[in-house]
Amino acid sequence: MKTYEIAAIPGDGIGKEILPEAVRLLEETARLDGDFRLEFTSFPWGSDYYLAHGCMMPAEGLERLREFDAILFGAVGWPQVPDSVSLWGLRLAICQGFDQYVNLRPARLLPGIRSPLRDKTPADIDFVVVRENTEGEYTGSGGRGHRGLPGEVAIESALFTRAGVERIIRYAFELARRRPAHRLACVTKSNAQKYGFALWDEVCSQVAEEFPEVTVERVLVDAMAARMVLHPETLDVVVASNLHGDILTDLAAAICGSLGVAPSGNIRPDRALPSMFEPIHGSAPDIAGRGIANPIGMFLSAALMLEFLGETRGADRIRSAVERTTAAGQVLTPDLGGNARTVDVTNAVIAALSD
Ligand code: NAI
Ligand code: MG
């Protein structure tokens, strides 16, 4: 039987509550499927580890992760550790270290969940954001001078390479070609930022020639923010830079009813190194420890992981079970207006796996 080695990194806050639930769900899914097995190895890296050892993960952390088939990640960030330390020391270290250049973020309104957008139904909200995940605004290039003085200066540079822009745009076109609507929106701010995003526009036009079946449009990021709220039904695949994709996907999750339902994959398409799957939300210190975090974003990330591993039947089984649970509307966490606890949702989804 096929066995996949999965590295599990719960991280901080609600990451520690939802990741074990995803492991429970995945083990049950594999058992029901009967064609594959999953072996989990858990790594206690994150802010507690930092407070004890002075680093978010050991120096050989990436070395240890290389051999796994995939990584399942909870969330990082805790008030005692500066966010830039926790994010760069773990999540970004893995995404950039393993060149997981695609951050795939599907946005779907699940049945039974009410969107804050009046009158929008699951038929209206079903698109995917392809966020560039290794360069752009999040390369850490910049610096500060004259610290603390009135003339202090801070520079944060956005870095775009032709190779980096081309590979993400091509990935987005390929995805648009596989989806029924064949539409792609390329998001930039090329009216105001005339170097990096001019490169995006040029590369987009060039790559578009290879995909005549895809209808492509350029959309400025501010207009896209409005469009996502007013006309989400016009969106299919959206490709955006690291920062723009980050912001737009919190908005996308919000129109799907909660930050707690949105999944993501940090993907290295050539599979030379492992990809990493995680909900898009953070560690939510405001609700951590109370057992009420919504695990659905984590579950749908687990489904993305199975799909990436080639276990489409298992992935579909999880998605259907989640949809049956939300459609029934009985077992929802407080962020979705219910009063269920995290474990109740897992139990309901597990029960729905074999329906
Ligand atoms: P957040 O996503 O943790 O929380 C924002 C709001 O959404 C909070 O009110 C929270 O309770 C709610 N929320 C998030 N996930 C939820 C879930 N599964 N169920 C129910 N409610 C949920 O973002 P915030 O507050 O800006 O950041 C908290 C920490 O997380 C920071 O340290 C930040 O750096 C880190 N962070 C980490 C990310 C990652 O690991 N990928 C991504 C975003 C933030
Ligand atoms: Mg974010």
Side-chain angles (χ1 to χ4, degrees):
M1 196 186 305
K2 229 178 305 168
T3 300
Y4 301 101
E5 297 287 339
I6 309 296
I9 308 177
D12 301 324
I14 63 169
K16 292 193 245 187
E17 299 168 36
I18 56 175
L19 191 133
E21 298 300 292
V23 169
R24 199 149 74 81
L25 173 66
L26 280 165
E27 281 176 337
E28 193 56 23
T29 305
R31 195 185 65 76
L32 286 167
D33 187 275
D35 268 358
F36 68 96
R37 286 179 55 233
L38 299 161
E39 291 276 357
F40 294 93
T41 306
S42 191
F43 294 93
W45 303 336
S47 295
D48 290 343
Y49 191 91
Y50 178 85
L51 293 171
H53 303 278
C55 51
M56 294 293 291
M57 65 173 166
E60 73 284 6
L62 286 185
E63 257 332 288
R64 297 190 48 196
L65 293 176
R66 305 177 66 97
E67 301 309 322
F68 286 87
D69 293 304
I71 304 163
L72 203 56
F73 192 86
V76 278
W78 201 242
Q80 278 76 25
V81 180
D83 280 343
S84 59
V85 170
S86 55
L87 204 59
W88 278 99
L90 194 56
R91 187 181 169 276
L92 289 175
I94 298 170
C95 292
Q96 299 199 356
F98 283 174
D99 204 21
Q100 296 163 342
Y101 67 85
V102 178
N103 189 200
L104 192 66
R105 296 186 154 188
R108 278 180 57 225
L109 179 59
L110 297 169
I113 293 182
R114 195 143 47 108
S115 169
L117 304 181
R118 191 182 58 215
D119 306 332
K120 295 296 177 197
T121 68
D124 299 314
I125 308 181
D126 180 4
F127 59 91
V128 185
V129 178
V130 174
R131 169 191 176 197
E132 202 294 318
N133 211 27
T134 52
E135 53 176 52
E137 305 86 348
Y138 296 180
T139 55
S141 40
R144 285 174 70 173
H146 312 296
R147 275 188 188 255
L149 299 174
E152 180 165 359
V153 51
I155 299 175
E156 186 100 33
S157 301
L159 191 150
F160 297 100
T161 65
R162 178 174 280 275
V165 174
E166 192 173 325
R167 65 185 183 175
I168 196 68
I169 288 180
R170 177 163 281 114
Y171 184 96
F173 269 104
E174 280 163 1
L175 179 61
R177 178 156 67 186
R178 289 198 301 276
R179 287 173 58 95
H182 299 319
R183 284 202 310 262
L184 175 65
C186 181
V187 171
T188 69
K189 188 65 187 172
S190 59
N191 55 343
Q193 295 184 294
K194 57 185 183 177
Y195 305 114
F197 286 125
L199 179 63
W200 273 69
D201 283 348
E202 279 170 38
V203 169
C204 182
S205 301
Q206 285 163 10
V207 177
E209 290 176 16
E210 299 166 33
F211 297 87
E213 64 277 62
V214 175
T215 309
V216 60
E217 57 178 328
R218 293 183 197 160
V219 186
L220 296 173
V221 65
D222 35 3
M224 178 55 81
R227 178 149 150 206
M228 218 169 250
V229 171
L230 296 173
H231 302 294
E233 66 282 358
T234 64
L235 301 174
D236 183 25
V237 178
V238 175
V239 64
S241 72
N242 216 328
L243 171 68
H244 292 169
D246 189 3
I247 298 169
L248 289 174
T249 49
D250 265 35
L251 178 57
I255 65 171
C256 293
S258 169
L259 213 43
V261 299
S264 82
N266 301 285
I267 290 171
R268 163 123 182 189
D270 71 1
R271 297 161 193 262
L273 287 165
S275 294
M276 177 164 79
F277 300 84
E278 54 166 351
I280 79 161
H281 62 74
S283 55
D286 56 336
I287 57 163
R290 292 169 49 198
I292 55 164
N294 190 339
I296 288 178
M298 183 83 242
F299 293 168
L300 295 176
S301 305
L304 279 179
M305 180 183 83
L306 288 186
E307 189 176 9
F308 185 75
L309 292 172
E311 299 300 337
T312 351
R313 191 172 54 193
D316 289 342
R317 198 188 276 272
I318 290 181
R319 289 190 189 111
S320 307
V322 165
E323 285 176 27
R324 272 195 285 271
T325 305
T326 57
Q330 300 298 310
V331 189
L332 300 175
T333 44
D335 55 305
L336 292 175
N339 53 18
R341 302 176 60 75
T342 309
V343 290
D344 303 329
V345 178
T346 317
N347 293 340
V349 174
I350 286 178
L353 281 177
S354 36
D355 280 357

